[in-house]
Amino acid sequence: MDHAWTAAQRLAEGRPVREALGGRDSAADWVALDLAVRYPPWYAADRWVPSLPDLDAAPTEPGTALALCHRDGRIRGAALDRVSRYPDLLPLLVVRCTDWAAPVRERARALLAEAPPAGLVAQAELILLLDRRERGGFAAEQLGRALREGPAEAVHPLLESADRATRRFAHRVAVERGLLPPLRLARIAARSGDAVLQDLCAEAAVAAVRGTGRDDGVLGILLTGRSGRVRAAGVTALRRAGRYEEARAHLTDRSGVVRACARYVVRQGGTDPLPLYRALCAGEAVAPGAAAGLGECGDLKEDAGTLWALVRHPDPAVRAQAVNGLRALDAVRREGLAPLLDDPSSAVVRAATRALLPHAAEFPVEWLRERDSPESRRAVRVGAQRLLRAAR
């Protein structure tokens, strides 16, 4: 807020708005400036904001900017008609579209409706920030119309915006307009760290493949995505493409959602995944996901023994997933998993703790308190503390 107060002071001194902001003109900076003018600090000079008579003076950009943020609605409303003279004040016009005073708000919206589409696109971040306000929807609707009806070149730069809300908005418009080819959609879904974009682009890429009947490598990209939800979309699409056998490779995926989708596709192809899991867990080289998958679809009587054997596997990832499999199979026994609370692997300790929480009351309190000591590793201490709390 200190920077916004400094900017307001510079405006009061007659400096142009861009100079007053000192090169900082993000969406948050404009909102902060609006508040800074209205709520100056105690040390602000009397000339911080214009009074009513100042409206009759020759207009200037700094004076108009201050008037647009004034606490008096009459001053804000009168200043709106000056905005067209100063293109740099368009962000403050956007802010006034959310004004609590209806006459100011309606006049600002009428003026914004006449603004060139390029100006709206340039203020996308601010518009979408203000869209979170109760009265912020109008400008967002205008932006959406400009992007949907305007040239595609206006949408593409926003796809790379540093602002998350802007990126999401632009991608929704791009998907609606069909501006992104399926391969690009798949790559965005596979590489993005944004769950919203992952879902949006993965669904659009799969829909494009389904609509054209051509894969062109789209599903392969989705199947190697960093997110489980993206890989799950790719696995599910294998069923629509009739590629049931390819789903077998994903039965051992690290994500439970992907494993569930793979089992569904394998079953749709006429194969029971349970014997496949049993075979995968019978050899020496066991994938961690195979142990988890066996617990998710196995039989308590027939498969619990296999998972208990994998609890002693040399690979800590397999041990942890074997514990998760026992949980899914409802085959947890306190005496069998208690030694894993001292396991060298923190992941195994965490998995064992989660599995043993329903059995916390069966533990001797002193045994747990011994592990809740400064000498114990952090994972062991945290596990002991969770079990102690659950036992109360």
Side-chain angles (χ1 to χ4, degrees), residues 3-16:
H3 177 268
W5 281 331
T6 300
Q9 181 63 50
R10 289 170 179 168
L11 288 173
E13 294 169 357
R15 301 193 198 182

Side-chain angles (χ1 to χ4, degrees), residues 137-335:
F138 177 83
E141 292 174 5
Q142 296 295 112
L143 173 64
R145 185 177 297 110
L147 291 176
R148 291 182 179 94
E149 299 175 0
E153 291 75 16
V155 180
H156 288 295
L158 299 184
L159 297 174
E160 307 298 329
S161 172
D163 178 60
R164 183 176 64 179
T166 303
R167 286 197 309 275
R168 290 177 175 179
F169 194 89
H171 277 85
R172 290 190 187 99
V173 172
V175 167
E176 289 175 18
R177 295 185 59 177
L179 300 179
L180 301 176
L183 273 176
R184 183 173 176 185
L185 287 168
R187 292 191 183 102
I188 294 171
R191 299 170 184 173
S192 175
D194 186 336
V196 172
L197 292 187
Q198 290 168 5
D199 289 345
L200 175 69
C201 294
E203 291 174 9
V206 169
V209 170
R210 186 168 62 247
T212 62
R214 295 176 53 189
D215 182 347
D216 295 330
V218 169
L219 297 189
I221 294 174
L222 294 178
L223 291 170
T224 57
R226 69 166 73 172
S227 165
R229 61 204 308 140
V230 173
R231 297 196 301 278
V235 170
T236 304
L238 292 174
R239 181 192 66 82
R240 303 188 187 101
R243 295 155 57 178
Y244 304 103
E245 289 298 312
E246 294 181 44
R248 291 192 181 198
H250 303 278
L251 289 171
T252 60
D253 193 277
R254 62 184 181 274
S255 166
V257 174
V258 179
R259 293 193 298 269
C261 292
R263 290 194 293 272
Y264 167 72
V265 175
V266 168
R267 289 191 186 101
Q268 292 294 302
T271 302
D272 183 359
L274 181 54
L276 300 178
Y277 276 121
R278 287 171 175 165
L280 289 168
C281 292
E284 294 184 4
V286 180
L294 180 61
E296 289 161 353
C297 70
D299 178 81
L300 178 60
K301 291 182 179 180
E302 295 188 36
D303 300 309
T306 300
L307 291 173
W308 278 113
L310 292 177
V311 163
R312 298 183 293 275
H313 196 278
D315 185 345
V318 174
R319 294 200 300 275
Q321 291 293 10
V323 172
N324 293 334
L326 289 170
R327 284 182 65 204
L329 207 56
D330 197 20
V332 173
R333 298 196 310 269
R334 181 190 66 83
E335 61 276 14

